[in-house]
Amino acid sequence: MACPICNRGPVREVYADVADFEHGSQLTANYCECAACGLLFQAPPPSAETLPTLYSLDYRPLQQTGLVGALKSIQATLLARMLKKHIHGLDKRILELGCGGGHLLRGLARMGYRNLTGVDWVIPPAMREASQAINLVEADMTRYVPTHGIDALVVNNVLEHVLEPKALLTRYREFLSADGCILLLTPNARSMGHTLFGRYWSGLHAPRHVTVFTGPAVHELARVAGLRVLQLRGVSDPGGWAISVQSLWHAWRRGAKPRSNFGWPAIFGLMLCYPLAIIEGHTSSASSLFIALGHAHAGPGEAQGR
């Protein structure tokens, strides 16, 4: 077996039969690790037919109200501010793949961006009502054909969900404007949280996360997709720590029912782990990776300009 990104290996199995601690499906996942680039990947991966069925309307990122909805809105505002540094001009054409509950797109709309499109397998009615100024498309994001060019492609905690990340980035590179960028946020397999929580780490999100990246794996992915890394840095994710604590609690309480929402174990975990999560965000062991990609032929001036 070879690594699906760097194709060098060797690889070894690190987790067998990881349960769905967050949503309680009966599916499990096995994860292997590449010794060369550190990538974690499901082996075998879920089928293309199975994967879309794992996202029901009560899937946490789709939630619009309650504590989760409020936390998602705050998180989206912070992320929108980060993306603004790379998207110059409020009329830029922005496409988000896997837009979830639309929180990030609404955050960008509040900042004045006008040309916003979101694509996902499922667009809940409540999301359409809350996002009327945004073009929402219910479609397979791996096959969607944009109606116009893209200045910024946003892939927020989605790349790890797709079966063929190389194919996805290669495909959308063709729609990217000459000075356009691809902006990614994805869990970091070399994070402190993963080291502490192991199979209960929220970054695995079994069975939905097919591939979990590292910095070296991102660089290799960009190279084979005909892109180059303009920026790669760690980002803290206190919510991920909270979900990891909740998953560990559910595993310990064998009879406890998995929750798609924030239960009291997650709230306790958030308060307990928040300082660690913030510290982690300033190290190479951050919970998540923020990546800005551009065309491989872009000159140095273009990269600096973003």
Side-chain angles (χ1 to χ4, degrees):
M1 183 189 305
C3 172
I5 298 298
C6 74
N7 203 34
R8 294 195 301 270
V11 301
R12 65 183 181 94
E13 185 177 80
V14 289
Y15 301 119
D17 298 323
V18 180
D20 183 358
F21 298 112
E22 298 178 39
H23 294 272
S25 72
Q26 298 304 305
L27 298 177
T28 61
N30 303 327
Y31 286 90
C32 291
E33 179 184 52
C34 174
C37 68
L39 185 83
L40 290 177
F41 59 97
Q42 281 195 45
S47 68
E49 294 74 26
T50 298
L51 201 56
T53 68
L54 298 174
Y55 305 94
S56 59
L57 291 179
D58 68 345
Y59 184 55
R60 188 174 58 254
L62 298 178
Q63 295 181 25
Q64 305 290 321
T65 60
L67 178 59
V68 172
L71 291 175
K72 285 290 181 183
S73 293
I74 294 171
Q75 187 181 49
T77 298
L78 296 175
L79 181 55
R81 291 174 183 171
M82 186 189 308
L83 299 185
K84 187 177 181 181
K85 299 175 183 177
H86 298 268
I87 309 174
H88 303 302
L90 297 179
D91 60 343
K92 292 295 185 181
R93 298 162 297 183
I94 301 171
L95 171 64
E96 183 181 9
L97 296 183
C99 55
H103 302 286
L104 178 56
L105 289 171
R106 291 197 295 274
L108 290 168
R110 288 193 295 270
M111 297 179 70
Y113 289 100
R114 298 181 288 269
N115 201 338
L116 300 167
T117 299
V119 179
D120 213 328
W121 282 314
V122 178
I123 304 292
M127 178 180 168
R128 290 192 184 277
E129 294 175 8
S131 313
Q132 294 182 8
I134 299 167
N135 179 33
L136 297 173
V137 181
E138 192 169 280
D140 180 347
M141 71 188 81
T142 65
R143 298 181 180 182
Y144 173 69
V145 178
T147 56
H148 49 65
I150 304 168
D151 296 311
L153 179 71
V154 179
V155 190
N156 175 26
N157 285 299
V158 167
L159 193 66
E160 61 275 9
H161 290 256
V162 301
L163 291 173
E164 298 182 1
K166 288 190 291 187
L168 184 79
L169 293 187
T170 301
R171 170 184 174 78
Y172 281 95
R173 183 199 67 206
E174 300 301 320
F175 299 105
L176 202 62
S177 62
D179 61 346
C181 60
I182 299 176
L183 304 173
L184 304 164
L185 197 70
T186 191
N188 178 15
R190 290 179 173 169
S191 68
M192 185 189 303
H194 181 209
T195 300
L196 288 176
F197 292 104
R199 66 169 50 236
Y200 309 108
W201 176 51
S202 63
L204 291 181
H205 195 42
R208 297 165 190 83
H209 284 184
V210 181
T211 310
V212 188
F213 292 89
T214 64
V218 166
H219 278 278
E220 180 64 17
L221 175 64
R223 185 189 68 80
V224 298
L227 298 160
R228 70 171 184 144
V229 177
L230 304 176
Q231 183 182 32
L232 191 156
R233 67 183 182 87
V235 179
S236 64
D237 180 15
W241 282 70
I243 294 299
S244 298
V245 170
Q246 181 164 279
S247 296
L248 184 60
W249 169 258
H250 287 149
W252 181 64
R253 292 279 310 279
R254 293 182 182 275
K257 183 180 178 181
R259 294 178 62 105
S260 62
N261 212 327
F262 262 47
W264 72 261
I267 297 172
F268 173 76
L270 185 62
M271 294 186 295
L272 180 68
C273 298
Y274 189 84
L276 278 176
I278 298 302
I279 293 171
E280 176 201 49
H282 296 282
T283 71
S284 60
S285 301
S287 294
S288 299
L289 299 171
F290 173 75
I291 308 116
L293 304 175
H295 286 288
H297 56 72
E302 293 177 7
Q304 292 171 3
R306 267 192 286 279

